Amino acid sequence: MAYGLQIWDASGNVRLDTSDRECRYVGFFTGSVSSSSSVAVTVSGMATDGTWGLNELAYSNFYVSVSMGSGQFVISNADQYNSHDYKVQVFRI
């Protein structure tokens, strides 16, 4: 016999089951990255296994890019003249 919680809607369809994954908010990181440089931000336990997500909020700037690595994410600034601020939300999926 299986154990766990299931939630059904009014039509009898399962809406939440023990095999479903829920998103968990891990943290919010802000800072600034200098022109033509990168900043590594440490996040405990972060892995490139498909269960982590990043949401970059800062200013919709095409100079700033975010990449994920093991235990960190990296903010890179391609603008050779200006520094840029960043705001990143981290989630566990």
Side-chain angles (χ1 to χ4, degrees):
M1 175 177 213
Y3 295 92
L5 174 71
Q6 288 184 319
I7 298 175
W8 291 270
D9 63 15
S11 300
N13 301 310
V14 176
R15 303 302 296 164
L16 182 66
D17 198 351
T18 55
S19 62
D20 294 341
R21 294 187 68 131
E22 294 298 312
C23 186
R24 179 175 57 94
Y25 181 75
V26 174
F28 184 68
F29 300 87
T30 63
S32 183
V33 58
S34 300
S35 59
S36 300
S37 64
S38 298
V39 173
V41 179
T42 302
V43 179
S44 179
M46 180 179 270
T48 56
D49 61 1
T51 65
W52 290 82
L54 300 173
N55 185 29
E56 201 276 318
L57 302 172
Y59 315 109
S60 300
N61 189 325
F62 61 85
Y63 288 112
V64 176
S65 64
V66 181
S67 60
M68 188 184 316
S70 293
Q72 68 179 8
F73 63 90
V74 178
I75 305 287
S76 299
N77 182 3
D79 188 343
Q80 62 182 338
Y81 303 108
N82 302 300
S83 64
H84 292 281
D85 294 333
Y86 63 86
K87 298 177 184 178
V88 177
Q89 294 174 321
V90 178
F91 297 92
R92 185 79 192 262
I93 304 166

